[in-house]
PDB file of all heavy atoms in Angstrom:
ATOM      1  N   LEU C  20    -150.847  85.500  59.780  1.00 96.00           N
ATOM      2  CA  LEU C  20    -150.706  85.326  58.323  1.00 96.00           C
ATOM      3  C   LEU C  20    -150.459  83.862  58.007  1.00 96.00           C
ATOM      4  O   LEU C  20    -150.816  83.377  56.927  1.00 96.00           O
ATOM      5  CB  LEU C  20    -149.552  86.197  57.833  1.00 96.00           C
ATOM      6  CG  LEU C  20    -149.519  86.437  56.338  1.00 96.00           C
ATOM      7  CD1 LEU C  20    -150.713  87.259  55.924  1.00 96.00           C
ATOM      8  CD2 LEU C  20    -148.294  87.110  55.879  1.00 96.00           C
ATOM      9  N   LEU C  78    -141.482  79.038  50.687  1.00 97.00           N
ATOM     10  CA  LEU C  78    -142.176  80.014  51.597  1.00 97.00           C
ATOM     11  C   LEU C  78    -142.003  81.449  51.028  1.00 97.00           C
ATOM     12  O   LEU C  78    -142.911  82.301  51.254  1.00 97.00           O
ATOM     13  CB  LEU C  78    -141.483  79.976  52.956  1.00 97.00           C
ATOM     14  CG  LEU C  78    -142.026  78.826  53.901  1.00 97.00           C
ATOM     15  CD1 LEU C  78    -141.149  78.678  55.143  1.00 97.00           C
ATOM     16  CD2 LEU C  78    -143.498  78.972  54.188  1.00 97.00           C
ATOM     17  N   TRP C 133    -141.048  90.153  57.377  1.00 98.00           N
ATOM     18  CA  TRP C 133    -140.441  89.641  58.623  1.00 98.00           C
ATOM     19  C   TRP C 133    -141.451  88.776  59.303  1.00 98.00           C
ATOM     20  O   TRP C 133    -142.506  89.254  59.789  1.00 98.00           O
ATOM     21  CB  TRP C 133    -139.947  90.773  59.514  1.00 98.00           C
ATOM     22  CG  TRP C 133    -139.031  90.447  60.644  1.00 98.00           C
ATOM     23  CD1 TRP C 133    -137.679  90.491  60.640  1.00 98.00           C
ATOM     24  CD2 TRP C 133    -139.387  90.000  62.005  1.00 98.00           C
ATOM     25  NE1 TRP C 133    -137.239  90.184  61.924  1.00 98.00           N
ATOM     26  CE2 TRP C 133    -138.212  89.857  62.776  1.00 98.00           C
ATOM     27  CE3 TRP C 133    -140.622  89.658  62.559  1.00 98.00           C
ATOM     28  CZ2 TRP C 133    -138.262  89.423  64.103  1.00 98.00           C
ATOM     29  CZ3 TRP C 133    -140.664  89.244  63.897  1.00 98.00           C
ATOM     30  CH2 TRP C 133    -139.440  89.143  64.592  1.00 98.00           C
ATOM     31  N   GLU C 142    -138.994  91.454  75.529  1.00 96.00           N
ATOM     32  CA  GLU C 142    -137.977  90.738  76.301  1.00 96.00           C
ATOM     33  C   GLU C 142    -137.022  89.915  75.443  1.00 96.00           C
ATOM     34  O   GLU C 142    -135.817  89.930  75.712  1.00 96.00           O
ATOM     35  CB  GLU C 142    -138.639  89.780  77.278  1.00 96.00           C
ATOM     36  CG  GLU C 142    -137.668  89.032  78.156  1.00 96.00           C
ATOM     37  CD  GLU C 142    -138.312  88.007  79.087  1.00 96.00           C
ATOM     38  OE1 GLU C 142    -139.479  87.615  78.796  1.00 96.00           O
ATOM     39  OE2 GLU C 142    -137.706  87.612  80.081  1.00 96.00           O
ATOM     40  N   ALA C 190    -147.288  87.984  67.656  1.00 98.00           N
ATOM     41  CA  ALA C 190    -147.520  86.558  67.973  1.00 98.00           C
ATOM     42  C   ALA C 190    -146.924  85.715  66.820  1.00 98.00           C
ATOM     43  O   ALA C 190    -146.825  86.150  65.722  1.00 98.00           O
ATOM     44  CB  ALA C 190    -148.958  86.230  68.139  1.00 98.00           C
ATOM     45  N   PRO C 266    -119.769  84.272  69.016  1.00 61.00           N
ATOM     46  CA  PRO C 266    -118.834  83.289  69.606  1.00 61.00           C
ATOM     47  C   PRO C 266    -119.126  82.730  70.923  1.00 61.00           C
ATOM     48  O   PRO C 266    -118.842  81.568  71.207  1.00 61.00           O
ATOM     49  CB  PRO C 266    -117.551  84.167  69.664  1.00 61.00           C
ATOM     50  CG  PRO C 266    -118.037  85.545  69.823  1.00 61.00           C
ATOM     51  CD  PRO C 266    -119.290  85.636  69.000  1.00 61.00           C
ATOM     52  N   ALA C 276    -115.934  94.119  68.027  1.00 42.00           N
ATOM     53  CA  ALA C 276    -117.115  93.753  67.171  1.00 42.00           C
ATOM     54  C   ALA C 276    -116.726  93.757  65.706  1.00 42.00           C
ATOM     55  O   ALA C 276    -117.061  92.927  64.939  1.00 42.00           O
ATOM     56  CB  ALA C 276    -118.277  94.827  67.394  1.00 42.00           C
ATOM     57  N   ARG C 297    -115.291  78.757  43.582  1.00 61.00           N
ATOM     58  CA  ARG C 297    -115.780  79.997  43.070  1.00 61.00           C
ATOM     59  C   ARG C 297    -116.640  80.713  44.051  1.00 61.00           C
ATOM     60  O   ARG C 297    -116.539  81.969  44.221  1.00 61.00           O
ATOM     61  CB  ARG C 297    -116.558  79.756  41.725  1.00 61.00           C
ATOM     62  CG  ARG C 297    -115.716  79.199  40.610  1.00 61.00           C
ATOM     63  CD  ARG C 297    -116.516  79.104  39.333  1.00 61.00           C
ATOM     64  NE  ARG C 297    -117.045  80.357  38.875  1.00 61.00           N
ATOM     65  CZ  ARG C 297    -117.945  80.461  37.857  1.00 61.00           C
ATOM     66  NH1 ARG C 297    -118.297  79.327  37.240  1.00 61.00           N
ATOM     67  NH2 ARG C 297    -118.330  81.621  37.495  1.00 61.00           N
TER      68      ARG C 297
END
Side-chain angles (χ1 to χ4, degrees):
L20 196 70
L78 281 170
W133 194 98
E142 183 185 19
R297 293 182 63 187

